[in-house]
Amino acid sequence: MQFDYDNRDHGGRIDQAIATYGGDRSAWIDLSTGINPVPYPPPRMEPHSFTALPDSSATKAIIQAARRFWAVPRDAAILPVPGASIAIAQIPFLTAAGSVRLRTPSYNEHAAAFTAAGWSITDTDAAKARVLVHPNNPDGHWYTAHQAESPMTVIDESFCDVDPERSLMDCATRPGVLILKSFGKFWGLAGLRLGFVIGDPDLVRKLALRLGPWAVSGPALAVGTAALNDPDWAIRTRAYLDADVTRLDRAVLAKGGNYAGGTSLFRLYEHPRAKDLHEHLASRHIWTRTFPWSASAIRFGLPAPAQWDRLSAALGDFA
């Protein structure tokens, strides 16, 4: 399996959309990423969050908040990281390379990272490692705890906070298990670059050594601690996302789409004219996501509250 490391398939890339369809960034609605369009409001921060190196008390505070929020077992280690993607790139180097089992299609940075570290990709159970994107991106598939039984299992829960009851956090005490959490999706703070690795203390320690000291910025620690200590915001957000994704389903299905999976942060649809629909919306500066592996799949994230009228009008014009 070969990867183009400069042009991998991802959402976002509004600059490329602008180059093709015009407009400036402020005019575009980006529905390609699955990021919550109503982000957690960052709290007021002390100046030292920006001017001083992060101290151990700030790291301890966010770890304690993370342990409470996600009900992390006591025997599992927690490491804040500068975005889940950094952890994804480093995890394959924590043990000698072998074969890794990956579902396809899925979030492709896992395959790229393992390949870069000399691993081979397989679809058999006899693999040395396994990656479970839980729920899977882009189809929303959920796994079960018995599927986390490889010698090393990476459980990517970047989108799992929409439905925390389905988390596989109880697996975090198993040897070889690492669970990833992201602040870029549910909290809508992708630019903050904050994530967590939770699980096997030996592997977490190795990862911490690879990342070095002060890996996470002071502002990210401050915002993350406040958010994790605000469970009421999370409860309200889940209700809002459920309502809005139901509204999105009605709008897209009315234009010939069929539900094909997803979560309350993104929906995957099958549409006989997916490429035409994507280009129609792009011409109106609304960016969705299509895929190189399917001519009929199209993925939508949620618009912000003030963007619904534009999306509804653009969908209404599609014929």
Side-chain angles (χ1 to χ4, degrees), residues 70-91:
W70 287 308
V72 177
R74 184 177 62 180
D75 293 338
I78 303 175
L79 178 67
V81 295
S85 61
I86 293 295
I88 290 170
Q90 293 295 323
I91 284 171

Side-chain angles (χ1 to χ4, degrees), residues 54-89:
D55 58 28
S56 61
S57 63
T59 301
K60 288 177 182 177
I62 200 169
I63 288 174
Q64 290 171 355
R67 195 173 294 277
R68 286 192 300 268
F69 187 87
W70 287 308
V72 177
R74 184 177 62 180
D75 293 338
I78 303 175
L79 178 67
V81 295
S85 61
I86 293 295
I88 290 170

Side-chain angles (χ1 to χ4, degrees), residues 174-192:
R174 297 181 184 178
V177 168
L178 295 174
I179 298 177
L180 307 183
K181 294 288 190 178
S182 169
F183 251 69
K185 310 301 190 299
F186 179 71
W187 277 272
L189 297 173
L192 191 67

Side-chain angles (χ1 to χ4, degrees), residues 150-223:
S150 298
M152 184 170 80
T153 302
V154 180
I155 305 172
D156 184 345
E157 292 196 347
S158 291
F159 284 101
C160 190
D161 289 304
V162 299
D163 194 352
E165 298 300 317
R166 303 184 78 161
S167 172
L168 298 180
M169 189 57 68
D170 287 346
C171 297
T173 58
R174 297 181 184 178
V177 168
L178 295 174
I179 298 177
L180 307 183
K181 294 288 190 178
S182 169
F183 251 69
K185 310 301 190 299
F186 179 71
W187 277 272
L189 297 173
L192 191 67
R193 307 314 305 140
L194 176 64
F196 295 83
V197 179
I198 302 168
D200 185 324
D202 289 338
L203 290 176
V204 170
R205 189 177 302 111
K206 289 180 180 179
L207 180 58
L209 290 172
R210 289 187 67 89
L211 296 181
W214 315 299
V216 179
S217 72
L221 293 173
V223 174

